[in-house]
Amino acid sequence: MNLLFLGGSNTDCRHSFDPRNLGYGYVGMIARKLEASDSRLEISNKGIDGFTAARVKGMWQNLPEEEKERYDIVTVLAGINDLGMWMEKGVLRNTPEESLDLFARTFQELIIDILDYGIPRLILMEPFLFPVPARYRLWLPWLSRMSGRIRNLAEYYGLSFIPLQQRLNREAEKLGYGRITPDGIHLTEEGHRILAEAWMEEAGI
């Protein structure tokens, strides 16, 4: 079975510095769990720190044709870098509303392009954010709308969608935010463990 993970920094997790090129986050954790029962497993981590949905789409489109056709499951976790661009003043000329529409169109184009290669399964993971530092609280309503767009696309195309925001919030409230995130956007080892568990539950493998 061949798996591909696409996304930004929470997928990347310094995978270029990992001898196995899987990274030190949820992708590497998933690999360790699955490899114990399937020696034929192949996992590719192509997450890149800072990637927006448009750049994730570009990453996918630039892969060799023969590589794209061999994946059994493609997983995408994207959106938080787009949101950061909308909310930081002076970065974009579009309003957040316009940017949300553009994001949804780009994400839909990515989905269509992946499905056009006959990929048996596409899993979409919900982008997430924590209300610490306090300035991120202003981002949360837009993040909720972004998540809604992704969920709607998953439903329309019959794809798997993994909700993460509430699950991460519950753990952060129980354990303390510092146990789950160092900065409100990225995850600690415990945070990545939660993502890995959520993916395993949804993938069912």
Side-chain angles (χ1 to χ4, degrees):
M1 178 174 291
N2 297 320
L3 312 180
L4 172 65
F5 291 83
L6 298 169
S9 57
N10 277 311
T11 300
D12 182 343
C13 282
R14 301 174 63 243
H15 75 272
S16 297
F17 300 93
D18 174 12
R20 301 188 60 206
N21 207 34
L22 293 173
Y24 301 95
Y26 75 94
V27 178
M29 293 177 181
I30 289 169
R32 288 192 292 274
K33 287 178 180 291
L34 293 180
E35 287 169 346
S37 58
D38 188 352
S39 61
R40 299 165 299 170
L41 184 74
E42 292 186 21
I43 297 183
S44 297
N45 182 348
K46 296 190 182 297
I48 301 293
D49 186 12
F51 263 25
T52 60
R55 297 189 73 182
V56 170
K57 184 179 78 168
M59 165 67 79
W60 166 259
Q61 291 177 334
N62 288 327
L63 293 177
E65 298 292 305
E66 62 274 14
E67 179 178 347
K68 286 188 275 194
E69 293 172 351
R70 68 183 178 85
Y71 289 113
D72 298 294
I73 302 177
V74 174
T75 301
V76 178
L77 172 57
I80 195 62
N81 291 312
D82 296 82
L83 181 62
M85 291 178 64
W86 309 346
M87 303 307 294
E88 295 295 326
K89 293 181 179 179
V91 176
L92 292 177
R93 293 183 179 180
N94 295 337
T95 65
E97 190 72 50
E98 293 168 336
S99 297
L100 178 61
D101 289 339
L102 178 59
F103 169 86
R105 288 196 299 272
T106 301
F107 212 100
Q108 184 175 26
E109 291 166 359
L110 172 62
I111 289 171
I112 292 171
D113 203 7
I114 292 173
L115 295 178
D116 279 348
Y117 280 86
I119 305 300
R121 191 167 184 193
L122 175 55
I123 297 176
L124 308 181
M125 301 180 78
E126 181 183 32
F128 50 84
L129 182 70
F130 299 90
V132 289
R135 69 188 183 94
Y136 290 151
R137 294 173 189 172
L138 298 175
W139 298 22
L140 290 172
W142 287 103
L143 179 65
S144 178
R145 294 184 63 184
M146 171 186 281
S147 297
R149 293 292 191 97
I150 297 173
R151 185 190 294 269
N152 289 343
L153 287 169
E155 292 175 355
Y156 182 81
Y157 289 100
L159 310 176
S160 296
F161 176 82
I162 303 179
L164 294 171
Q165 183 71 70
Q166 290 187 8
R167 186 168 184 158
L168 288 166
N169 279 345
R170 285 195 300 268
E171 291 302 308
E173 290 167 2
K174 181 171 65 176
L175 302 175
Y177 283 97
R179 286 281 304 279
I180 306 299
T181 177
D183 56 13
I185 291 178
H186 301 96
L187 296 174
T188 61
E189 181 177 353
E190 180 66 19
H192 280 286
R193 182 191 61 76
I194 295 168
L195 259 62
E197 288 181 353
W199 188 93
M200 293 289 291
E201 291 169 7
E202 180 62 36
I205 57 175

